[in-house]
Amino acid sequence: MNQVNENLRKSCEDAVNAFQKLNNEAYSDIQSKLQWCIGSYDFDQNPYGLQEYGTKSLDLLKKVKAKEPRKVNKKVIDGLEKALKNFS
């Protein structure tokens, strides 16, 4: 199993949890797409969906954190950034 891909998967799972904690319908689409990509990765070990939606999630989470710093844990953002950097 590729550790870089596993780290990306874990970071995407953390992002899903962060979106759930925001409890805002505006993020339900990205949340469901991320969950789908995690399931797809578990099935075929192809990490490109995780990378694509991990990147989109990172951008969204940074915007939320900029507006409402207490709503998003910095560890989630740092974890995603690191996992995406190691992936590429």
Side-chain angles (χ1 to χ4, degrees), residues 9-62:
R9 183 197 182 285
K10 169 78 175 86
S11 294
C12 286
E13 236 173 36
D14 293 343
V16 168
N17 292 332
F19 284 124
Q20 286 172 340
K21 285 178 184 164
L22 290 173
N23 199 21
N24 185 331
E25 281 296 310
Y27 305 116
S28 62
D29 187 48
I30 187 84
Q31 189 179 321
S32 65
K33 285 181 178 157
L34 257 182
Q35 288 171 318
W36 188 90
C37 290
I38 291 168
S40 174
Y41 172 76
D42 289 346
F43 178 74
D44 63 13
Q45 300 298 295
N46 183 338
Y48 288 97
L50 293 176
Q51 191 251 346
E52 178 184 351
Y53 282 97
T55 302
K56 291 178 182 182
S57 297
L58 179 62
D59 293 342
L60 266 176
L61 290 170
K62 281 182 172 179

